[in-house]
Amino acid sequence: MLLAASSLQAAHIIGGEITYECLGRNIAETANRYKFTMRIYRDCNGGGALFDSAPGAPFVATVTIYQDGSTLPRIFELEAPIITEITPSSNPCFDVPASICVEEGIYEFETELPIISGDYTVVYQRCCRNSTINNIIDPGLTGATYTTQITTEAQTTCNTSPTFKDFPPIVLCLDKPIDFDHSATDVDGDSLVYEFCSPLVGGGANTNNPDALFGVSPNPDAPPPYDNVSFIAPTYSAQEPLGRFANLRIDRETGLITGRPNMRGQFVVAVCMLEYREGKLLSITRRDFQFNVTECEPKVVAQITADSSVNRTNSFFLQVCGTEDITFQNESFFRQNVQSFFWEFDLQGDTVKLGNWNATLTFPEIGIYTGRLVLNPNTECGDTANVFVDVKPEIRADFDFKYDTCLASPVVFQDQSFSGSMQLTDWEWTFGDGDGTNAQSPTHNYEEPQEYIVNLRVKDINNCEADTTQIIRYFPVPEEIIVDPSTFEGCTPQSVFFDNLSEPISEAYDILWDFGDGGTSGEISPSYIYEEAGAYDVSLEIVSPIGCKTSRLYKNWISVRPSPIADFTYNPTQPTVKNPTINLNNQSLNAASYLWDFNGTFNTAEFAPTYTFPDTGLQQITLVVAHPSGCQDTAIQFLDIPPEIFIYLPNVFSPNNQGNPENEFFRPVGILPGVHNYRMMIWDRWGNLLFISNDLGTPWNGSNRSNQPLPQGVYVYVIEFMGPRGEPYKFAGDVTLLR
């Protein structure tokens, strides 16, 4: 077989049992006809092989029947099973993991068996179990044997074996009780006894010869007797398959399984059902199955806000202080599963029942009270929170305070809190400005005017707490108004900055300045311009948000002297290089003296001077005038004398060292201030470049570029350069060379 070893050995079988039905005797009364039903359970999420005989399965399912006194097996090859998926039933009040998957495969076959003096053993064996099983040794290498016996008494009476009503819950919830009816029905009405027994070993890990006795799918199956699985002692045994502390029990008469699993994991369990008639054993039906113990999510959980709780008893403990209007906060979850609920409290023998989600209750007096919150009452899936309330004497936080509302002074706080215990132990003040104290009745200084939220929390000997909050509107006015400068003298127009140094004040205060000339301001520290000369009274009024007021009048505080007005014109309005002289026209008012300055290089005290600029460019003229009071004024004007280019180009020259030396060369002459990027080029009439110069000081002497004298004639020139302010110039023409 070309199958992987993992597929052959596949850990997938998690339980099974075999039952039989006697269909009647043959005509000779020497044999019975039986219908056998085998139920095998498979982990369909374990990645193991399919049910034997199922389409695509590696093996054919075989059941072997042995009879006492004979070693010859009768082998039955079974057809494909009827497969259904089993809902992983568990505690109906808890949601189990969605990854659990179990399938049931039902095999049926019929045969006739002679009535003998001895037992028949019907057996099916398969390897292997899940390697994750916790309670047996080497589970991944341990196979299973599913068997039933037909005793001599069962044969003679044509007995039909009992059948279990339900398959055990696939999932058990950790720390939750088990209450499963594992009983069976019997058509003959025989007595049934239930007990935990050991699962049986069968098959093996031999993948090379899977049909062998210890192969993964023996064919034929091994004859009895069969070995029990090896439990991990002393923690686990056949009678305590979930461990000794799970207290797993089965009622011998009713088949009721009870207990409380306390460890997560997978556990192999077997239940043997013994059938008796008139004290004689007829059959033993052994069911082998697997419990999966895991965390389950409850569908409803009763829970309240409490000081402490005990999860195992679902008890919640609260301490309340005072008896009036205590509200219990219902924090139960999975509320969508809560169909009904109620609160119930015992108030000194009187039962009070409340139907609101959050219950509000007034207790008659101090003491300890009990109650409960019940979810889904009288249903299978409910939950209850047990409530224990310790009602302590009432506690109230309160305080008073005193301070001079209009002057900056300390605030005196007076504790007026109350506790029915008569023993307050702790005071915690927060003053709203970042400071606090634990004194009972403190005094506090505030630095800034504003509204402060003051909180007091108190505690008494019972650890009862209460707090209260009050707002203090701390808006005193300054005890003294202080403004800088304290005196001021200046010239018109005069800007004065009034720096208000009074404390405490803020933007919340109403401020009114009167500057004495009709001007006012509401700023804390304003600037103001006096346009006219004179002596002015200044007043300042400060009003706090709670109506406290203070003011001050400064008599003759501001003295402003008259100022002259400097002004002048000049002509011509646009002096030039050829005409750089201007005449100044003094138009100043109220001035007694004058000082002119020209570019910082020349000054004069004349009333209206004349001045000649020595250079071109931007020129600054400054006039400073003074009033008899000493106040001055300044007027500044700028004018521009642009540079100008004046150039002369001769139309003839004679480079023969005779006569005027100026006629010996050809070059531009004239006024050329600031010329740059200069170039002069000379061509003959045929367009040959004869001379080029980038230096204004290098003229053309009538020679070519090889310094050979050129003949008399007419030549063409082009002269290009940039002016002093970057403006381009270009001159072109012809010049006559004479020899």
Side-chain angles (χ1 to χ4, degrees):
M1 299 179 65
L2 301 178
L3 293 175
S6 60
S7 297
L8 294 174
Q9 185 173 325
H12 67 294
I13 301 297
I14 63 172
E17 77 260 7
I18 301 174
T19 59
Y20 63 88
E21 178 185 356
C22 183
L23 301 178
R25 297 271 173 86
N26 62 2
I27 296 176
E29 297 286 330
T30 60
N32 294 324
R33 185 157 190 86
Y34 292 94
K35 177 182 178 181
F36 292 92
T37 301
M38 182 172 70
R39 299 175 184 271
I40 301 298
Y41 300 93
R42 172 182 176 271
D43 178 1
C44 41
N45 269 347
L50 301 174
F51 285 108
D52 290 347
S53 293
F59 303 110
V60 174
T62 61
V63 170
T64 307
I65 300 179
Y66 292 94
Q67 69 182 54
D68 287 352
S70 174
T71 59
L72 296 176
R74 296 182 63 182
I75 303 172
F76 297 87
E77 291 189 354
L78 307 184
E79 295 181 356
I82 298 173
I83 301 173
T84 57
E85 184 172 339
I86 297 178
T87 302
S89 60
S90 179
N91 189 326
C93 301
F94 295 87
D95 289 327
V96 300
S99 59
I100 302 293
C101 178
V102 173
E103 290 178 340
E104 177 187 57
I106 301 177
Y107 301 86
E108 292 182 341
F109 70 97
E110 295 183 11
T111 189
E112 187 175 280
L113 296 176
I115 300 172
I116 62 171
S117 178
D119 297 342
Y120 286 104
T121 299
V122 184
V123 61
Y124 168 73
Q125 294 182 316
R126 189 67 161 83
C127 184
C128 287
R129 302 177 187 270
N130 285 335
S131 61
T132 51
I133 291 173
N134 298 78
N135 60 346
I136 65 174
I137 297 172
D138 291 333
L141 300 177
T142 301
T145 293
Y146 306 105
T147 182
T148 188
Q149 286 182 314
I150 307 175
T151 64
T152 301
E153 185 68 23
Q155 298 172 54
T156 59
T157 59
C158 194
N159 178 64
T160 294
S161 66
T163 57
F164 291 107
K165 296 177 183 177
D166 295 306
F167 190 70
I170 297 169
V171 176
L172 300 182
C173 297
L174 183 67
D175 289 326
K176 302 301 177 184
I178 306 169
D179 187 9
F180 173 66
D181 180 3
H182 199 276
S183 63
T185 59
D186 185 67
V187 296
D188 300 320
D190 296 321
S191 298
L192 304 179
V193 175
Y194 307 92
E195 61 185 22
F196 288 130
C197 55
S198 179
L200 302 177
V201 177
N206 186 346
T207 58
N208 294 322
N209 190 3
D211 291 342
L213 187 62
F214 296 104
V216 296
S217 180
N219 186 8
D221 302 282
Y226 305 109
D227 293 333
N228 296 331
V229 299
S230 298
F231 282 93
I232 300 174
T235 305
Y236 304 100
S237 67
Q239 303 306 314
E240 294 179 331
L242 299 188
R244 63 183 60 179
F245 298 110
N247 199 28
L248 192 68
R249 300 289 183 267
I250 186 168
D251 190 287
R252 288 178 58 83
E253 296 181 0
T254 65
L256 181 66
I257 296 178
T258 59
R260 183 186 289 267
N262 63 338
M263 288 186 290
R264 296 181 184 86
Q266 294 176 312
F267 305 89
V268 171
V269 183
V271 171
C272 287
M273 177 174 54
L274 289 73
E275 180 187 16
Y276 291 92
R277 183 179 300 169
E278 296 179 355
K280 294 181 180 181
L281 179 65
L282 293 180
S283 68
I284 299 175
T285 302
R286 184 187 304 261
R287 169 181 271 177
D288 181 334
F289 58 93
Q290 176 179 298
F291 275 145
N292 299 279
V293 180
T294 186
E295 290 276 6
C296 298
E297 191 73 28
K299 292 184 178 178
V300 293
V301 176
Q303 182 172 297
I304 70 169
T305 303
D307 301 323
S308 62
S309 62
V310 177
N311 290 337
R312 181 169 289 276
T313 59
N314 210 29
S315 298
F316 298 86
F317 301 88
L318 298 88
Q319 175 179 293
V320 298
C321 303
T323 60
E324 296 183 356
D325 292 342
I326 306 302
T327 298
F328 297 90
Q329 299 294 327
N330 188 343
E331 292 186 343
S332 302
F333 48 95
F334 304 117
R335 188 172 180 179
Q336 68 273 16
N337 297 326
V338 178
Q339 306 302 320
S340 60
F341 63 91
F342 66 84
W343 298 80
E344 188 175 73
F345 290 92
D346 180 3
L347 302 184
Q348 298 178 339
D350 294 331
T351 300
V352 176
K353 207 167 187 178
L354 303 171
N356 294 329
W357 183 255
N358 296 317
T360 300
L361 187 64
T362 299
F363 291 95
E365 59 184 37
I366 62 174
I368 296 178
Y369 298 85
T370 60
R372 60 184 185 143
L373 168 61
V374 181
L375 305 182
N376 296 339
N378 302 317
T379 65
E380 186 177 6
C381 298
D383 195 25
T384 298
N386 299 303
V387 184
F388 298 87
V389 186
D390 186 0
V391 181
K392 297 294 187 183
E394 177 188 10
I395 184 173
R396 295 192 304 269
D398 192 17
F399 65 90
D400 194 9
F401 58 90
K402 296 180 180 179
Y403 69 105
D404 190 327
T405 56
C406 290
L407 291 178
S409 60
V411 180
V412 178
F413 295 94
Q414 183 65 45
D415 173 45
Q416 295 183 345
S417 303
F418 165 80
S419 171
S421 70
M422 307 303 293
Q423 297 185 68
L424 289 170
T425 58
D426 296 275
W427 295 263
E428 182 181 343
W429 295 85
T430 54
F431 298 120
D433 61 351
D435 288 341
T437 183
N438 297 116
Q440 181 176 1
S441 296
T443 298
H444 185 66
N445 289 296
Y446 287 103
E447 299 294 333
E448 300 293 333
Q450 65 181 59
E451 288 187 350
Y452 293 96
I453 300 175
V454 180
N455 179 264
L456 169 61
R457 177 175 290 275
V458 295
K459 182 188 294 186
D460 67 8
I461 195 171
N462 295 319
N463 284 325
C464 287
E465 295 185 1
D467 74 306
T468 187
T469 297
Q470 295 191 52
I471 296 176
I472 293 182
R473 304 192 72 203
Y474 182 77
F475 292 103
V477 293
E479 187 172 353
E480 180 181 1
I481 292 180
I482 301 174
V483 179
D484 183 42
S486 55
T487 60
F488 185 86
E489 184 175 345
C491 301
T492 59
Q494 183 62 55
S495 177
V496 181
F497 174 65
F498 296 92
D499 191 4
N500 190 347
L501 303 176
S502 311
E503 292 184 349
I505 55 174
S506 71
E507 296 293 339
Y509 285 65
D510 290 330
I511 309 295
L512 179 60
W513 292 87
D514 187 331
F515 299 116
D517 64 347
T520 61
S521 175
E523 298 180 27
I524 293 178
S525 296
S527 291
Y528 186 72
I529 297 176
Y530 287 92
E531 301 287 352
E532 302 294 335
Y536 299 97
D537 299 338
V538 177
S539 66
L540 170 59
E541 181 180 85
I542 301 174
V543 181
S544 78
I546 59 175
C548 297
K549 182 186 296 185
T550 185
S551 62
R552 184 172 180 181
L553 175 64
Y554 296 86
K555 295 289 292 183
N556 296 319
W557 190 14
I558 304 299
S559 177
V560 181
R561 302 191 305 272
S563 296
I565 298 175
D567 191 19
F568 65 90
T569 61
Y570 57 86
N571 59 79
T573 57
Q574 182 56 64
T576 65
V577 173
K578 294 181 178 179
N579 185 18
T581 300
I582 60 171
N583 298 310
L584 280 304
N585 304 315
N586 192 335
Q587 297 180 345
S588 302
L589 301 176
N590 304 322
S593 61
Y594 314 90
L595 179 63
W596 298 85
D597 180 86
F598 300 91
N599 290 321
T601 60
F602 176 79
N603 57 72
T604 179
E606 296 179 53
F607 178 77
T610 297
Y611 181 72
T612 300
F613 292 101
D615 200 357
T616 61
L618 187 66
Q619 314 292 330
Q620 177 177 323
I621 305 171
T622 303
L623 171 61
V624 179
V625 299
H627 188 273
S629 67
C631 293
Q632 295 182 339
D633 190 28
T634 300
I636 299 175
Q637 294 192 49
F638 294 90
L639 59 88
D640 182 31
I641 301 178
E644 296 183 39
I645 300 296
F646 299 98
I647 187 171
Y648 167 71
L649 291 167
N651 57 6
V652 62
F653 77 109
S654 178
N656 52 14
N657 296 320
Q658 297 179 5
N660 188 349
E662 289 297 326
N663 291 330
E664 295 291 329
F665 303 99
F666 174 75
R667 61 182 171 189
V669 295
I671 300 175
L672 300 169
V675 167
H676 57 285
N677 292 350
Y678 171 82
R679 185 171 64 168
M680 181 173 69
M681 295 170 288
I682 306 294
W683 286 271
D684 61 18
R685 71 178 74 179
W686 297 280
N688 297 313
L689 181 63
L690 303 175
F691 177 80
I692 185 170
S693 174
N694 294 320
D695 183 5
L696 185 62
T698 302
W700 181 39
N701 62 3
S703 299
N704 61 16
R705 299 175 73 177
S706 299
N707 204 26
Q708 296 175 343
L710 294 170
Q712 179 174 293
V714 177
Y715 296 89
V716 177
Y717 65 84
V718 174
I719 299 175
E720 299 173 332
F721 56 82
M722 303 295 285
R725 294 185 178 178
E727 66 276 22
Y729 288 86
K730 184 175 182 179
F731 300 91
D734 55 65
V735 60
T736 301
L737 186 153
L738 298 177
R739 293 290 185 182

